[in-house]
Amino acid sequence: MESAVGASGPGGPDGPAVPFGCASFNQDATSLALGTKTGYKLFSLTTVDKLDCIHESAEASDVYIVERLFSSSLVVVVSTTSPQRMNIYHFKKGTEICNYSYPNNILAVKLNRHRLVVCLEESIYIHNIKDMKLLKTLLNIPSNPSGLCALSTNHSNSYLAYPGSATMGEILVYDAKNMSTVTMVPAHDSPLAALCFNASATKLASASERGTVIRVFSIPEGFRLFEFRRGMKRYVNISSLSFSPDAQFLCASSNTETVHIFKLEQVGPSGDETWSAYVGKMFTAASSYLPVQVSGMMSQDRAFATVHLVTSGQKNVCALAMIQKHPRLLVATADGQLFIYNVNPQDGGECILAYNHRLFGVDDPMEAQACPSYAATVALPASSPITATLTGYSEDGGAKNGEVIPEHELADGPVCLDDENEFPPISWCRDGTEVGQLMRF
């Protein structure tokens, strides 16, 4: 569920008014990371009406990539001052674990429990996240100037998706665990703009540069499961796709003021079906009598729920998450705001704004704006808020002793990573000049 949007990149910021370089949710949307002019910030997203800044760093300036590994203390940072170098930090201890340099500018970094993937314009580097050893280099991939790629977060696999063509919307799905190609999916007629796996890596969502149609495919087979129409009047730039934790919903944000939430509905084994599924069957039956363009549009499902942002034309990133036992839509915008909306999973419709947080100056009471209060929109749970942590991660930020990258995937329960002897430290790449230096020959 990891999503990101950059307000600047290796070439420099988009404009002087942008207060930060990037924003990304971690893999389970329990944390938000911001790359700023002076470093980076990490926020906890376990409650609606309170945004806790759990860490602020000035270790690098003009950060345009920052990614956190779930709720651990492992953070990857890339700065415009050194766009070919990736730094990995233990943010709780304030120390650098290691760094790597690459032959060209880094465009994207993706993490899961097994792999760390670095995407350049024409190559992809796959590392073992336990010791950061380079396992595979995918050279001469189709030109990918935006660094578009997606890495599954499920611990039992590590599927990597990236464009298989620079001129068409083909998706190449690669098994980064076993180092083999899985399938090539002919998803769209125009080049790809967005990709996203669901949490279990059984579905892959995609959108093209036209931005009118969003499709969902089965993984690893590559069969088309769903097709959603975002709009018909204009082409848009879809900046973010994100599944809900249970993969029943998919949200999409763009450079317009509307965020769409689609519901992935299928006919159940009992024969019961939703109204949209029934209408879809009618359109399918009538498709042979209609022009291809008309039947195609009629067979596509529309948005189940929507959000209308205050402004349009801004870069943003969205995520669907469960916060305090209720489904929420999170939208971080390039003007430094985080909007949290309540989602009605039964009826859909227009989502209600629960809270609007300022990402800069949040300690100032005047900077946090509530639009109707959280208590007024959704009843508070009787018990204390749940801290949503994934198996194998500690909510406090990870290790207290020893600079190690832990092996999360073998954990049976929440782990406090405090045993410096459990895994060997990876000090061999600390200086970034020997093993930490990657050059293409």
Side-chain angles (χ1 to χ4, degrees):
M1 152 120 38
E2 177 183 11
S3 302
V5 62
S8 65
D14 290 342
V18 178
F20 59 93
C22 63
S24 65
F25 295 102
N26 66 341
Q27 293 81 357
D28 56 358
T30 58
S31 177
L32 173 67
L34 294 183
T36 68
K37 298 291 185 181
T38 58
Y40 66 90
K41 288 184 173 184
L42 300 176
F43 296 91
S44 176
L45 302 175
T46 55
T47 60
V48 171
D49 53 359
K50 185 178 181 181
L51 186 65
D52 292 325
C53 182
I54 58 178
H55 182 71
E56 184 171 1
S57 170
E59 291 159 341
S61 60
D62 294 322
V63 172
Y64 70 93
I65 294 176
V66 56
E67 299 287 345
R68 183 184 182 189
L69 180 63
F70 286 92
S71 297
S72 75
S73 56
L74 182 68
V75 177
V76 177
V77 176
V78 183
S79 167
T80 58
T81 58
S82 301
Q84 298 180 7
R85 187 177 69 189
M86 172 185 68
N87 297 86
I88 302 179
Y89 295 105
H90 188 301
F91 79 81
K92 191 171 181 67
K93 296 183 64 177
T95 58
E96 181 183 89
I97 297 175
C98 68
N99 64 72
Y100 269 90
S101 293
Y102 300 85
N104 299 105
N105 289 346
I106 299 171
L107 302 178
V109 177
K110 303 297 180 183
L111 312 168
N112 68 17
R113 295 184 177 96
H114 289 279
R115 300 290 181 252
L116 184 148
V117 173
V118 179
C119 183
L120 280 54
E121 183 171 354
E122 295 182 347
S123 58
I124 294 177
Y125 294 80
I126 302 173
H127 296 265
N128 180 21
I129 204 166
K130 178 182 175 181
D131 54 17
M132 279 306 299
K133 290 183 179 179
L134 179 64
L135 300 177
K136 183 76 173 181
T137 303
L138 303 177
L139 297 173
N140 301 318
I141 65 172
S143 178
N144 185 13
S146 65
L148 176 63
C149 62
L151 181 67
S152 66
T153 61
N154 184 272
H155 71 277
S156 62
N157 57 54
S158 292
Y159 290 137
L160 171 67
Y162 61 93
S165 169
T167 58
M168 298 182 63
E170 295 179 344
I171 307 171
L172 197 152
V173 181
Y174 186 83
D175 185 344
K177 184 177 181 180
N178 300 306
M179 304 303 166
S180 61
T181 299
V182 177
T183 186
M184 175 75 81
V185 181
H188 303 270
D189 293 331
S190 55
L192 298 170
L195 292 168
C196 178
F197 285 101
N198 68 328
S200 61
T202 57
K203 296 181 178 67
L204 174 65
S206 67
S208 72
E209 290 181 351
R210 292 183 178 179
T212 55
V213 175
I214 297 168
R215 296 188 172 109
V216 178
F217 301 90
S218 65
I219 297 297
E221 300 84 6
F223 300 145
R224 185 188 300 184
L225 300 176
F226 302 94
E227 186 170 273
F228 304 106
R229 176 159 289 275
R230 193 214 55 81
M232 292 183 290
K233 296 181 180 179
R234 54 179 173 173
Y235 292 166
V236 302
N237 299 319
I238 292 183
S239 58
S240 180
L241 292 173
S242 179
F243 283 96
S244 61
D246 59 2
Q248 295 300 305
F249 299 93
L250 173 69
C251 66
S253 65
S254 66
N255 60 336
T256 70
E257 70 282 358
T258 306
V259 180
H260 297 80
I261 300 177
F262 304 97
K263 190 171 186 179
L264 282 64
E265 297 177 317
Q266 289 183 318
V267 178
S270 63
D272 297 335
E273 59 185 6
T274 63
W275 170 251
S276 62
Y278 173 74
V279 173
K281 289 178 62 177
M282 293 180 60
F283 286 147
T284 301
S287 61
S288 60
Y289 303 100
L290 299 171
V292 174
Q293 295 85 349
V294 176
S295 62
M297 288 189 296
M298 293 178 69
S299 64
Q300 294 159 354
D301 289 334
R302 303 304 193 267
F304 171 77
T306 55
V307 160
H308 290 87
L309 303 174
V310 177
T311 58
S312 62
Q314 295 187 105
K315 292 184 178 180
N316 58 67
V317 58
C318 64
L320 289 166
M322 293 293 292
I323 301 179
Q324 293 177 282
K325 298 184 179 181
H326 294 281
R328 319 284 184 179
L329 171 67
L330 312 175
V331 183
T333 60
D335 61 351
Q337 298 186 77
L338 173 66
F339 297 91
I340 302 180
Y341 296 87
N342 297 326
V343 179
N344 187 324
Q346 283 76 40
D347 300 326
E350 185 72 17
C351 298
I352 299 175
L353 179 61
Y355 220 89
N356 176 14
H357 294 283
R358 300 284 183 178
L359 298 175
F360 292 88
V362 291
D363 292 332
D364 185 348
M366 297 301 293
E367 291 292 328
Q369 301 177 358
C371 297
S373 69
Y374 169 60
T377 55
V378 175
L380 287 168
S383 59
S384 59
I386 295 175
T387 56
T389 59
L390 258 76
T391 300
Y393 293 85
S394 59
E395 184 64 26
D396 66 354
K400 298 178 181 178
N401 298 307
E403 296 175 17
V404 299
I405 297 180
E407 186 165 15
H408 310 285
E409 64 268 18
L410 300 180
D412 293 324
V415 174
C416 185
L417 308 171
D418 56 4
D419 185 357
E420 62 181 359
N421 297 317
E422 184 177 3
F423 304 104
I426 54 172
S427 57
W428 44 263
C429 64
R430 178 178 296 282
D431 60 3
T433 58
E434 295 181 359
V435 182
Q437 194 83 343
L438 292 178
M439 299 301 294
R440 181 168 58 187
F441 296 97

